[in-house]
């Protein structure tokens, strides 16, 4: 059989082979480059996650020695030719708890920015113990853009004079016998307007109204937990009453304590108390004799007063009335100090800071003269921030925010906010400030403090006849007391 030569076939086959090889090589190169990109992304991501976790552990270690030292920071660094930006964000949730968020961002190309975020909660168990458990963990962490009534009660037996909430139990002073009311709100449902109050099988034998109450949880040497209430009594002797509130339906008076006889004349009655660690800080209104007193309450059933001044006339002379106070420990230059932050009716030092590290040698380390002559009425400390509320000021703000990282020689003003009325009480948490005010129709106000230099109004609630010291917070709720009906109101964020 004759065959005809196929000229050019070898050339065509060669071209086809080259084409196939080119496509194959292109695919292989693309896969290789793609795998390299994925490998780089994965490596950078793993490094970022490891670094974010390490940053959180560093923050946890720092707060272990100085809880207040945790602060928001921003830094940039490089690893294996990749540049990272690390943002450590710290949010105070309550005086004993912070949220730490470690966020890292980096760019492998301008079109593919990357981000890794980890978060954790930091808890200061030492502070929880010093405050007797009164740190309101787990609340009120909501947006609070629309506060609404959750539950209430008007059957407390009198008009409320004082309020403290511990673990969902509201303890109230009232102006009629038995001068104490207790409400268990832990399992209340939404809607009821009564039924919260405990019925006493054995009422406490109190003979005067309570001007202020601080309730704490203490563990006895045998491991038994007990609940104690320290009450500043409206009495010229027996200014302090210690209550065992462990059995809520049968509270017991376990001690009645009188200040030195030199505390007399004008207003020697107990006015305000603040329990911290194994000490109780107590004031009278301005009177003859010292107004500021420190008692050792390591054994709540047997308190004794530190002999500040002299053994026969114990206490620290203020010559003014302290409306409220907060006490807490801070580490300054490596040394643990204890400060009492007072708000007063003194026209040239409405805010006073006392160093009470040694209860026998108290000294004033700072004072603030607010504009005008209006009294300061309320105070709250959150992290390194001090919130101060005052009487209505015709030409100025009523809410002040100060930086207190270094109390001596003075506090730094961060911002102010016009409230338009007396600020009777302050609580704060999770970048929000909760106010009890005399602003008609807006007695309860919520302030956004996420940007401390610019406090913004977030919401309000109408609760007329609100009481002095009439606001507290606890898990999920804001508690307020008033002179009208209802006497006790629980607000939630709807």
């Amino acid at each position: 059989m004759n065959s005809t030569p196929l000229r050019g076939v070898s050339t065509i086959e060669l071209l086809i082979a080259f084409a196939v090889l080119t496509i194959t090589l292109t695919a292989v190169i693309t896969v290789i480059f793609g795998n390299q990109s994925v490998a780089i992304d994965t490596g950078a991501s793993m490094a970022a996650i490891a670094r974010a976790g390490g940053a959180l552990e560093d923050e946890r270690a720092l707060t272990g020695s100085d809880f207040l030292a945790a602060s928001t920071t921003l830094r940039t660094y490089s690893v294996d030719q990749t540049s990272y930006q690390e943002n450590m964000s710290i949010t105070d949730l309550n005086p004993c708890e912070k949220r730490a968020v470690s966020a890292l961002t980096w760019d492998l190309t301008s079109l593919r920015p990357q981000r890794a975020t980890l978060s954790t909660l930091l808890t200061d168990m030492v502070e929880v113990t010093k405050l007797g458990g009164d740190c309101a963990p787990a609340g009120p962490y909501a947006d609070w853009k629309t506060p609404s009534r959750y539950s209430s009660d008007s059957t407390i037996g009198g008009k409320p004079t004082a309020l403290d909430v511990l673990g969902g139990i509201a303890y109230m002073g009232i102006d009629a016998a038995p001068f104490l009311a207790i409400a268990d709100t832990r399992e209340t449902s939404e809607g009821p307007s009564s039924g919260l109050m405990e019925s006493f099988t054995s009422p406490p034998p109190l003979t005067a109204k309570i001007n202020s109450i601080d309730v704490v949880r203490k563990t006895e040497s045998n491991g038994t937990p007990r609940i104690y209430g320290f009450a500043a009594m409206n009495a010229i002797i027996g200014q302090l009453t210690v209550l065992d509130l462990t059995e809520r339906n049968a509270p017991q008076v376990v001690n009645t304590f009188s200040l030195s006889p030199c505390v007399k004349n004008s207003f020697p009655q107990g006015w305000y108390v603040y329990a911290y660690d194994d000490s109780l800080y107590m004031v009278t209104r301005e009177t003859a004799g010292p107004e500021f007193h420190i008692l050792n309450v390591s054994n709540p059933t047997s308190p004794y007063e530190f002999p500040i001044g002299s053994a026969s006339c114990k206490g620290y002379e203020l010559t003014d009335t302290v409306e409220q106070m907060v006490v807490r420990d801070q580490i300054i230059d490596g040394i643990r100090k204890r400060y009492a932050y007072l708000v007063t009716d003194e026209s040239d030092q409405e805010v006073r800071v006392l160093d009470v590290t040694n209860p026998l040698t108290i000294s004033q380390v700072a004072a603030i003269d607010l504009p005008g002559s209006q009294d300061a009425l309320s105070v709250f400390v959150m992290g390194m921030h001090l919130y101060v509320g005052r009487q209505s000021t015709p030409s100025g703000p009523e809410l002040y925010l100060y930086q207190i990282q270094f109390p001596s020689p003075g506090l730094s003003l961060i911002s102010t906010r016009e409230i338009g009325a007396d600020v009777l009480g302050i609580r704060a948490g999770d970048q929000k400030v909760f106010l009890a005010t005399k602003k008609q129709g807006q007695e309860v106000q919520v302030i956004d403090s996420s940007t401390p230099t610019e406090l913004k109004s977030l919401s309000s609630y109408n609760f007329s006849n609100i009481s002095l010291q009439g606001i507290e917070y606890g898990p999920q709720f804001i508690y307020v007391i008033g002179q009208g009906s209802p006497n006790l109101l629980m607000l939630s964020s709807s």
Side-chain angles (χ1 to χ4, degrees):
M1 179 177 61
N2 294 330
S3 61
T4 304
L6 298 176
R7 301 177 182 273
V9 170
S10 297
T11 303
I12 292 173
E13 288 177 345
L14 187 60
L15 290 173
I16 292 172
F18 272 121
V20 172
L21 179 61
T22 301
I23 293 171
T24 303
L25 286 174
T26 301
V28 171
I29 292 170
T30 301
V31 170
I32 293 172
F33 284 170
N35 285 343
Q36 287 178 335
S37 177
V38 170
I40 293 172
D41 281 3
T42 302
S45 297
M46 294 301 293
I49 292 172
R51 176 57 196 168
L56 289 178
E57 289 306 312
D58 291 345
E59 207 68 25
R60 188 183 300 279
L62 174 64
T63 57
S65 58
D66 183 3
F67 188 73
L68 297 175
S71 61
T72 296
T73 57
L74 181 65
R75 61 185 291 260
T76 300
Y77 61 94
S78 295
V79 176
D80 296 333
Q81 298 182 339
T82 301
S83 179
Y84 296 89
Q85 187 176 73
E86 178 184 288
N87 181 22
M88 176 62 71
S89 176
I90 302 295
T91 301
D92 289 299
L93 302 179
N94 60 55
C96 309
E97 191 175 42
K98 299 176 185 286
R99 182 193 300 118
V101 179
S102 179
L104 275 80
T105 57
W106 68 98
D107 288 320
L108 295 174
T109 72
S110 60
L111 299 178
R112 291 191 295 112
Q114 307 291 314
R115 181 180 180 89
T117 302
L118 296 176
S119 65
T120 190
L121 293 179
L122 305 172
T123 303
D124 186 354
M125 293 307 300
V126 173
E127 191 71 6
V128 171
T129 301
K130 289 179 179 179
L131 289 170
D134 197 2
C135 251
Y141 311 143
D143 60 33
W144 289 99
K145 293 180 180 179
T146 311
S148 61
R149 175 191 171 278
Y150 184 84
S151 187
S152 61
D153 205 316
S154 296
T155 61
I156 70 173
K159 294 181 179 180
T161 60
L163 171 68
D164 194 20
V165 177
L166 179 66
I169 310 296
Y171 302 87
M172 292 163 284
I174 57 178
D175 65 354
F179 301 107
L180 176 71
I182 301 176
D184 186 346
T185 71
R186 293 173 298 178
E187 297 181 3
T188 184
S189 57
E190 186 172 3
S193 56
S194 63
L196 301 178
M197 310 311 300
E198 292 279 357
S199 296
F200 295 148
T201 57
S202 177
L206 301 176
T207 58
K209 71 176 183 178
I210 297 172
N211 287 327
S212 170
I213 187 169
D214 198 356
V215 181
V216 300
R217 182 183 295 107
K218 284 186 173 290
T219 302
E220 296 183 341
S221 57
N222 61 4
T224 303
R226 303 203 72 81
I227 305 298
Y228 290 102
F230 300 100
M233 306 302 297
N234 192 52
I236 59 176
I237 58 172
Q239 293 96 332
L240 171 68
T241 291
V242 183
L243 296 154
D244 187 334
L245 302 169
T246 309
E247 300 296 331
R248 293 188 300 277
N249 64 346
Q252 300 178 15
V253 173
V254 294
N255 192 279
T256 299
F257 184 89
S258 295
L259 300 175
S260 296
C262 62
V263 181
K264 58 183 180 180
N265 295 342
S266 305
F267 300 103
Q269 299 89 347
W271 184 240
Y272 194 83
V273 289
Y274 192 91
Y276 189 77
D277 201 4
D278 283 333
S279 295
L280 182 73
Y281 301 82
M282 180 177 181
V283 294
T284 68
R285 286 179 286 178
E286 183 177 1
T287 193
E291 293 86 6
F292 184 83
H293 306 267
I294 305 178
L295 286 77
N296 183 304
V297 291
S298 55
N299 178 0
T301 64
S302 184
Y304 64 86
E305 185 172 0
F306 289 101
I308 308 167
S310 68
S312 61
C313 188
K314 302 171 185 175
Y316 183 77
E317 185 73 43
L318 293 172
T319 64
D320 58 23
T321 295
V322 174
E323 300 293 353
Q324 295 182 23
M325 62 180 156
V326 175
V327 180
R328 74 104 173 261
D329 288 346
Q330 294 177 229
I331 294 179
I332 307 295
D333 296 330
I335 300 174
R336 186 173 296 277
K337 309 285 283 185
R338 180 167 295 182
Y339 296 104
Y341 295 90
L342 318 177
V343 289
T344 81
D345 66 352
E346 185 70 35
S347 61
D348 61 350
Q349 46 182 359
E350 291 89 349
V351 181
R352 303 176 68 172
V353 185
L354 304 181
D355 184 337
V356 295
T357 309
N358 183 343
L360 299 179
T361 57
I362 296 174
S363 62
Q364 181 165 302
V365 297
I368 298 173
D369 182 8
L370 299 177
S373 59
Q374 288 76 21
D375 298 346
L377 296 175
S378 51
V379 64
F380 194 77
V381 171
M382 176 68 74
M384 290 298 184
H385 291 162
L386 176 77
Y387 295 92
V388 174
R390 69 183 310 194
Q391 290 177 325
S392 179
T393 305
S395 58
E398 288 81 24
L399 180 64
Y400 291 76
L401 173 58
Y402 291 94
Q403 168 65 249
I404 57 172
Q405 185 173 3
F406 300 104
S408 178
L411 312 182
S412 301
L413 180 65
I414 298 175
S415 61
T416 62
R417 176 74 190 178
E418 176 72 33
I419 302 301
D422 293 1
V423 178
L424 305 175
I426 305 173
R427 292 295 181 266
D430 197 20
Q431 300 183 327
K432 299 170 189 67
V433 184
F434 306 92
L435 306 178
T437 81
K438 283 190 175 182
K439 180 78 169 180
Q440 186 173 2
Q442 301 178 34
E443 287 81 6
V444 179
Q445 297 191 32
V446 183
I447 305 297
D448 181 352
S449 61
S450 57
T451 303
T453 56
E454 188 179 2
L455 301 175
K456 297 179 180 179
S457 177
L458 185 63
S459 60
S460 64
Y461 188 88
N462 180 7
F463 185 63
S464 59
N465 299 314
I466 199 165
S467 299
L468 183 67
Q469 308 171 25
I471 191 166
E472 270 288 351
Y473 72 84
Q476 303 178 355
F477 303 114
I478 299 299
Y479 299 79
V480 285
I481 53 173
Q483 301 299 296
S485 181
N487 299 126
L488 172 65
L489 174 67
M490 297 169 59
L491 297 176
S492 63
S493 178
S494 58

